[in-house]
Each structure stands twice: as C-alpha cells, then as structure tokens.
Amino acid sequence: MFDADLISTWTENYVTEPEPIRAARHASMEHGVEPVTPAVGSYLASLVSITGAQSIVEIGTGLGVASQWLLHGNADANLTTIEKDVDHLQSAKDLMIAAGIPNARVRVISGDASDILPRMNEGTYDLVLVNSTTKGVLDFVRHALRLTRSGGLVVLTHALGGGHVANPAKRDAVTTELRTILGDYAVDEHVRATLVPVGDGVLTLVKD
C-alpha cells in the first residue's frame, strides 16, 4: 500500500513557483481567496504547453494565480478571464502587470459568468478553465464544453470539493453539482475524462 497523504505532500512541495506567481499567491491569501495549489498551477501550465493552447478562457480569476500559470505555459497564449468581484479583478490585473505580462495577452471581463458565457462564441477556444467553487459550476462546465473546439480541453479545478465529494454525508448544492459532473462525464461518449489527484482534484475533459 502507498501512503496517499505523503505522496500528496511531496507532490505539492515539488513545485517551485516563479516569484510573480508567489506574489499573487501571497496577495490571494491576504484577501481571503484560496488560490489553486502550486501542483495544480504547474499541471495547468503543462497542459497549455503540451497542447500548445493559445486561446484560453478562465472562469473565476480570483487574484490571478491560475491565470499566470496558464500564461506561463505558452508565450503565445492569450487569456480571457471572467471575475465578478471587481476588486479581485483589479488586483489580478495589477499583479499581472507587475509580472511583466503584456496587456495584449489578457482580456478581463467583469461580471457574473452565468450572464457572460452564453454570449461567447461556440467552438472557439483551445482550453477553458473552470476555477470556481460556487453554486452553478455544473452550468459553467456545460458552457465550457460548448465554447471549446473539437480536441480542446475543459479543466475543472476543485473537482473533489475539498474532499466533500467523497463524503456521502455532504449534500450541499456545490458538492451535489460536482458529483453530477464527475458521474456524467465519466460515461459521456463525447469527452475523454481524467481525474487527477492534485490539489483538491482536477478533472480534465478532452472534447471529441
């Protein structure tokens, strides 16, 4: 038997974050916004690098930790990121400027993703990241698949809900939506689903 806790700790400590991303992480924690873990960020950057993704959408900017990791994966990538908290969005923009990321690579949209996503172009993007822990995540994933081109990726961070998904006693709205996502797409013949145990779970869907 392997020691899952030891492996998880080792995996998280394996990653060395670039200084600008560490600054964004520190700012996130100061604002009470939990960012993706270093291992999750590194995994996101690897996905972008391996696939050569250039047109990326992020649902849930926070203070831009995941945003910077995504852009770190490919110097030719451009990011559209959506965040309803205007203060968080402004902080994320400031941190990306401080990191030397050109404004031309980032399009920020302030507002509720539920209102914005239906107006975005279908089948246009190489990768869509759903970086949300709020009610409505099921609809976000469905919209993300609509926006993604054939062969593109939809990535859901926090897929195990901090472990709540594995606890049958947890039946809140978000946990229920996550269980639906994991159950439905595991058997959906139109996607290839992989659940990776980094952070609190990352679900990757490859769209046929």
Side-chain angles (χ1 to χ4, degrees):
M1 292 292 291
F2 58 85
D3 188 326
D5 290 337
L6 186 60
I7 290 172
S8 177
T9 299
W10 180 272
T11 301
E12 292 296 340
N13 291 334
Y14 179 75
V15 178
T16 300
E17 284 188 310
E19 176 55 37
I21 299 180
R22 285 202 302 270
R25 179 175 302 283
H26 180 70
S28 294
M29 301 307 289
E30 285 189 334
H31 283 77
V33 178
E34 184 176 356
V36 297
T37 69
V40 171
S42 180
Y43 176 69
L44 295 176
S46 293
L47 288 177
V48 173
S49 180
I50 291 166
T51 62
Q54 295 187 10
S55 182
I56 302 172
V57 173
E58 177 186 32
I59 303 166
T61 315
L63 271 73
V65 173
S67 311
Q68 290 199 40
W69 271 116
L70 290 166
L71 293 170
H72 187 67
N74 183 358
D76 294 323
N78 294 292
L79 175 69
T80 297
T81 186
I82 303 167
E83 174 60 55
K84 65 181 179 181
D85 189 307
V86 293
D87 292 333
H88 293 168
L89 194 59
Q90 184 59 55
S91 295
K93 289 170 61 178
D94 292 343
L95 286 160
M96 282 189 269
I97 290 170
I101 297 170
N103 286 333
R105 294 187 66 196
V106 184
R107 175 192 179 203
V108 297
I109 302 178
S110 175
D112 192 321
S114 299
D115 299 325
I116 295 164
L117 293 171
R119 302 198 299 268
M120 298 181 72
N121 292 333
E122 181 175 344
T124 302
Y125 299 94
D126 299 320
L127 187 152
V128 179
L129 173 65
V130 181
N131 187 26
S132 173
T133 57
T134 63
K135 188 176 183 295
V137 65
L138 175 58
D139 283 339
F140 293 165
V141 171
R142 288 171 175 165
H143 278 299
L145 282 165
R146 182 183 63 81
L147 299 180
T148 307
R149 64 170 178 80
S150 178
L153 303 181
V154 171
V155 184
L156 172 65
T157 58
H158 313 291
L160 294 175
H164 289 177
V165 168
N167 182 353
K170 296 291 184 179
R171 299 180 182 179
D172 60 277
V174 175
T175 302
T176 299
E177 288 189 20
L178 291 173
R179 287 195 185 107
T180 299
I181 292 166
L182 292 169
D184 287 357
Y185 291 114
V187 297
D188 190 324
E189 61 185 20
H190 300 295
V191 300
R192 283 161 284 160
T194 303
L195 181 61
V196 179
V198 292
D200 58 347
V202 179
L203 179 67
T204 303
L205 306 175
V206 183
K207 182 178 177 180
D208 286 347

